[in-house]
Amino acid sequence: MTATALASALSLGPVHATDLPCPQSKGRQKSADSCPTPSAGKPAAKKPAAKKPAAKKPAAKKQAEKKQAPRKPRPKKQAARKPRPKKEAAMKPGGGRPAGCPPCQSAPRKPGTKKPGAKKPSTQRPPAQKLPAKKLPAKKPPAKKPPAKKKQLKADHGWSWQGLTIDAADLRKVNVFLARARKAERTISPQMRSIARKTKATMVGFNERKRSPESVKRSVARDMQNNPSETVDDALDKIYNSVRYILQWPDASYVKGVKDSTKMLAKWKNANLRWSNTWARARGYKGINTAWRANNSGHPYELQFHTPKSQAAQKRSSRLYEEAHHPRTTGSRRAQLQTQMNRNYASVPCPAGAQLLSAPRRRAMVRPGVTTL
């Protein structure tokens, strides 16, 4: 009996199309998912689709992905601090419970409570007391030092050298004489250069035109030692070569050069103090040594006239001359030195007419301690 027949029989009314069974459900067990029965007035709720299990990747690919993926730094685990065991206070000998006595079973104190009468020593330092500030005394300005005096050891204590001495008073006069010589050289040298240029002479040893101070002091001390009655002024008046020059000509033009030079000096009002012509000597020094007083400064200076050969002999004999006049040189040694100097000058020829050269004639001129003609 079909359903429609049964329904009509029971007078249930006409059967609607929706109430017909699903034709696909024949021969199959009905399930709730295949043909759901619609509820009255509400649509059937959709169930979420079941997730498919992910396909497993091969082990080789997993290892490659692990190598390529950068490792994240692991956070450092902070080690948990262990609570330090509290040290039991050591019992003082003679105080507290005796050894072997079990601990008292008194009621434990609450944390934060203090024993009556027990005081903890304070760890805080007492505040420092501020001392009253001391007033510093006012600084006085430094006293000005007097200007330092120039050191004048030799001027204050005199001068001495190998047995020769000059006291402090005489040494001051010698220093004044040397200062005057340095000043006079500035006006004498231009005249000597002018003479050399006009007479075509050669100036020899121009860089040594000023005599050294030690040489002047030795000469003064030696003169005063040999003549005890002489003063330092007398010894200084005899020194003509504190400033000195040498003019040299060949043998042929020697006589003319000397005459022209003396005329120029007389024209410039330079007074002749000494004239020593030794060309006529058979032995010893050869040449003409003269001394003049400068017109501008009044200081004396020496001027020598030489030929090339006489100048070379003088240069070879200069050391011998110094040793011969040394105060410690013996008489026998001085005779040997003189013999050697005579040999040096023996080979020097005399220029024609040189032995006849004399000083220019001038009116008498009086200077302190010196009279010149």
Side-chain angles (χ1 to χ4, degrees), residues 237-251:
D237 287 339
K238 294 179 181 180
I239 295 177
Y240 299 140
N241 59 355
S242 59
V243 183
R244 53 194 177 183
Y245 303 91
I246 299 174
L247 296 178
Q248 175 182 301
W249 295 272
D251 293 2

Side-chain angles (χ1 to χ4, degrees), residues 333-359:
R333 175 59 180 165
R334 189 176 289 108
Q336 293 176 0
L337 295 171
Q338 187 62 44
T339 302
Q340 191 172 353
M341 286 189 288
N342 293 338
R343 291 175 184 173
N344 293 336
Y345 289 107
S347 59
V348 177
C350 177
Q355 68 275 17
L356 302 176
L357 292 172
S358 59

Side-chain angles (χ1 to χ4, degrees), residues 2-3 17 67 97 115 152 160 223 254 269 277 315 372:
T2 60
K67 289 181 180 180
R97 62 176 181 272
K115 284 185 179 181
Q152 296 180 355
S160 62
D223 195 7
Y254 177 80
K269 298 181 180 180
N277 186 346
K315 191 174 182 179
T372 61

Side-chain angles (χ1 to χ4, degrees), residues 15 47 131 172-173 245 262 267 315 318 328:
V15 180
K47 290 184 178 181
L131 298 175
R172 282 192 289 271
K173 293 183 179 181
Y245 303 91
T262 54
K267 184 179 179 180
K315 191 174 182 179
S318 59
R328 294 185 180 181

Side-chain angles (χ1 to χ4, degrees), residues 293-312:
R293 190 180 299 277
N295 182 42
N296 296 330
S297 60
H299 191 79
Y301 63 93
E302 183 183 66
L303 179 58
Q304 299 179 10
F305 303 116
H306 277 285
T307 62
K309 291 185 178 180
S310 66
Q311 172 59 29

Side-chain angles (χ1 to χ4, degrees), residues 174-195:
V174 174
N175 291 332
V176 171
F177 176 83
L178 292 172
R180 191 167 63 244
R182 289 192 296 270
K183 185 177 180 180
E185 182 271 332
R186 301 171 189 172
T187 58
I188 300 171
S189 293
Q191 293 182 357
M192 296 297 108
R193 286 195 292 266
S194 179
I195 291 172

Side-chain angles (χ1 to χ4, degrees), residues 19-74:
D19 296 335
L20 294 179
C22 181
Q24 298 177 358
S25 64
K26 291 181 180 181
R28 198 188 308 175
Q29 190 177 355
K30 293 181 181 180
S31 62
D33 298 333
S34 59
C35 293
T37 304
S39 58
K42 291 184 180 180
K46 293 182 180 180
K47 290 184 178 181
K51 293 181 181 179
K52 293 181 180 181
K56 292 184 178 181
K57 295 181 181 180
K61 288 185 178 181
K62 286 184 179 181
Q63 290 180 0
E65 288 178 359
K66 285 182 181 180
K67 289 181 180 180
Q68 292 178 1
R71 293 183 180 180
K72 295 181 180 180
R74 295 180 181 179

